[in-house]
Amino acid sequence: MAPTEGSDIEEADPFLPSDEPQLTRPDTSNKRRFRITVLAFIFVFFIEAGIGMVVAPMTRLQEAIVCRQYYSTADPSVIPSRGEIAEDLCKNDIIQSELALVRGLSDLFDGLVGEDPETLNLFPPQTPTRPTSSYEMDDFEARSPTFTGFFDGSRISRIMKKLSSLRKAADFIFKDSNVLILLLTFFVYKISRGAASFFIQYVSTRYHWTLANANYLISMRSFLNIVVFTAILPAAAWYLVHKKGFAPREKDLFLAKMSVLALLIGTIGIGLSASIFPLIVSIIIQTTGMGFAYLIRSIITTLVEARQVARLFVGITIIETLGGLVAAPLSAALFSWGLHLGGGAGPWLGLPHMATGVMFGLTAAGVWWVASSKSLRVAI
C-alpha cells in the first residue's frame, strides 16, 4: 500500500515504533590511540633511561680494568692493596686509547650478536663434520662457528644467487637518485651514533670530569630528546602546515633541512668546545636535530610505490646495520688518533665529532640537492 500524500512514513521505517532510546556505540578509536601512544612513550622512556644509566658504570668498570692492567707493569706502587685506582690517574692517553679500543670492539660485537638473523643469513655458520680427538678442539668447535667448507662451490653459488635477487629487488632504489641519496643518509646518521657512544669518555677525558659527573650530560640530552619529540617537532609541524600552508612532504623536507643543519653545527661544536658552557650549548643545538632520521624516513616512503615500501624498509635496515657495524670501530680509531695527536688533551680529542660533523655537511648537501630537484618540486 503506497503512503498517502504528505505522509512522513519512509520505506525503511519500522512497522512498530519503539519508545526505547537508540543506543550508539561510542567512538573509542581516539582514546585507544591516545592510550597506545602514552604506553609506547612510557616504554621508550624507561628503555632510554635504562640505557643511559648503564653507560657510565660500564665505562668506569672497563676503565678500571684497563687502568689496573696498565699500572701493574708501569707503576705497581700506584695500585692500592684494596679498592680501585683513583679515577683521575686513569686519564692518560695510553689508558684512554686502550679503553676506546675495548669500547669500540664491545659495541661492534654487541651489534653482531644482536643483529637480525635474516640480515646475516647469507653467511650461516657451518657445523663441523670431521671427528676430532682433542677435547679442547671439540669444546671450541661446539661453541664457535667455523668456516669449514665456506668457500665450496655450492655455497658461493647460493650466495651469488641471493645477491643477484637482492640487486633485482633493489632496482627501484638505483633508478631514482633522490631515493638513493636519502637512503645513504641513514648510513651517516648511524655512524654518528658511534661518536655519541664515546661522548661520556670524551667529556671525562677532555674536561677532567669524573664519569659519574659526565653522565649528567647524558641525562640532560635524554630530557632534551623528550622535549624535541613531544613538543618542538609537533609544534613546528603544526605551524608549517596550518599557518604557512606547507604540503606534508614540503613540511618534512623543510624540517629535515633544519634538523641536519642543527646536527652539523651542534656536532662540530661538541668537538671544538674548549669548556663546558659551549659544550652544553652545542648539545642543545645538536639535540634539536635528532628527528632527522624519522623525517627522512617519512619523505623517502612517499618517493616509492606502495608495493615497494617493504623492500625499501629492508634496504634501510641493511644500511643502518652496516653503519652500526662501522660506527664503533671508526669512532674508536678516531678517538685514539686524537689522543695521539693532542697528547691526551686539546681539541684533537673531539676528532670523532668533527669527522661526524663533516659527514653531516655532506648529508646536508644531499638533502638540499634532493629538495631542489625538479621532479620532487613538481610532485609537491
Side-chain angles (χ1 to χ4, degrees):
M1 176 178 175
T4 59
E5 188 176 351
S7 174
D8 293 331
I9 300 176
E10 300 292 340
E11 184 176 355
D13 289 344
F15 288 107
L16 299 176
S18 175
D19 295 331
E20 296 181 3
Q22 296 292 322
L23 298 178
T24 58
R25 186 175 183 178
D27 182 14
T28 61
S29 58
N30 291 333
K31 294 181 180 179
R32 181 178 301 174
R33 187 181 299 112
F34 177 76
R35 286 197 298 266
I36 293 174
T37 302
V38 171
L39 286 174
F41 174 78
I42 292 173
F43 288 146
V44 171
F45 173 79
F46 280 107
I47 290 172
E48 292 296 326
I51 293 174
M53 292 171 64
V54 166
V55 172
M58 181 60 71
T59 304
R60 177 59 190 137
L61 179 62
Q62 294 169 334
E63 183 184 65
I65 294 171
V66 174
C67 191
R68 180 175 288 272
Q69 290 177 342
Y70 169 76
Y71 281 111
S72 64
T73 56
D75 187 2
S77 63
V78 174
I79 303 176
S81 57
R82 293 183 178 181
E84 297 179 351
I85 301 172
E87 185 176 341
D88 60 329
L89 296 176
C90 301
K91 302 302 179 184
N92 68 49
D93 56 335
I94 297 176
I95 294 174
Q96 292 302 312
S97 180
E98 186 73 19
L99 175 62
L101 175 62
V102 170
R103 287 181 53 75
L105 292 176
S106 176
D107 290 348
L108 173 62
F109 292 142
D110 286 345
L112 288 173
V113 172
E115 187 51 58
D116 186 352
E118 287 300 316
T119 307
L120 302 177
N121 68 355
L122 287 174
F123 310 104
Q126 289 293 296
T127 303
T129 55
R130 65 179 187 278
T132 60
S133 57
S134 169
Y135 168 79
E136 288 81 5
M137 183 61 70
D138 285 341
D139 181 63
F140 175 79
E141 291 188 349
R143 291 183 288 106
S144 305
T146 175
F147 291 98
T148 304
F150 183 83
F151 293 104
D152 62 76
S154 61
R155 174 167 300 282
I156 293 177
S157 177
R158 290 198 301 272
I159 292 174
M160 294 305 296
K161 287 180 179 179
K162 287 190 176 183
L163 290 176
S164 177
S165 64
L166 285 174
R167 183 187 60 80
K168 292 179 180 179
D171 275 346
F172 72 96
I173 294 175
F174 298 99
K175 289 179 180 178
D176 189 339
S177 59
N178 292 332
V179 174
L180 181 60
I181 291 173
L182 293 180
L183 191 62
L184 293 177
T185 64
F186 290 98
F187 182 79
V188 175
Y189 188 82
K190 201 67 177 180
I191 287 182
S192 72
R193 298 299 86 208
S197 68
F198 285 87
F199 176 75
I200 191 171
Q201 184 184 355
Y202 164 69
V203 171
S204 178
T205 305
R206 181 167 185 179
Y207 305 106
H208 308 290
W209 279 25
T210 64
L211 290 169
N213 289 336
N215 199 47
Y216 286 118
L217 296 178
I218 300 289
S219 301
M220 184 192 75
R221 175 182 279 173
S222 299
F223 173 76
L224 291 174
N225 269 327
I226 294 173
V227 174
V228 167
F229 284 106
T230 59
I232 295 178
L233 276 180
W238 182 89
Y239 177 79
L240 291 175
V241 172
H242 294 90
K243 297 296 183 181
K244 293 297 184 179
F246 279 41
R249 189 194 292 173
E250 187 182 13
K251 173 259 298 179
D252 288 341
L253 276 170
F254 180 83
L255 291 176
K257 291 192 291 185
M258 295 302 101
S259 295
V260 75
L261 278 182
L263 291 173
L264 167 61
I265 297 170
T267 304
I268 291 181
I270 290 173
L272 295 177
S273 295
S275 62
I276 288 296
F277 179 74
L279 175 70
I280 292 176
V281 173
S282 299
I283 291 173
I284 295 173
I285 295 173
Q286 185 199 52
T287 306
T288 59
M290 286 301 176
F292 173 73
Y294 304 98
L295 292 165
I296 294 298
R297 190 182 294 265
S298 174
I299 296 167
I300 199 173
T301 303
T302 66
L303 300 180
V304 300
E305 299 177 13
R307 60 185 178 85
Q308 297 170 334
V309 171
R311 281 179 287 166
L312 175 66
F313 284 173
V314 171
I316 292 174
T317 301
I318 293 173
I319 291 293
E320 289 182 332
T321 300
L322 294 175
L325 295 177
V326 172
L330 178 62
S331 296
L334 289 173
F335 189 76
S336 298
W337 190 22
L339 283 166
H340 174 72
L341 293 174
W348 285 111
L349 288 176
L351 189 58
H353 293 90
M354 290 186 279
T356 303
V358 171
M359 287 187 283
F360 276 135
L362 297 175
T363 302
V367 172
W368 247 266
W369 188 88
V370 170
S372 63
S373 63
K374 184 177 179 181
S375 60
L376 198 62
R377 283 187 279 114
V378 170
I380 290 175

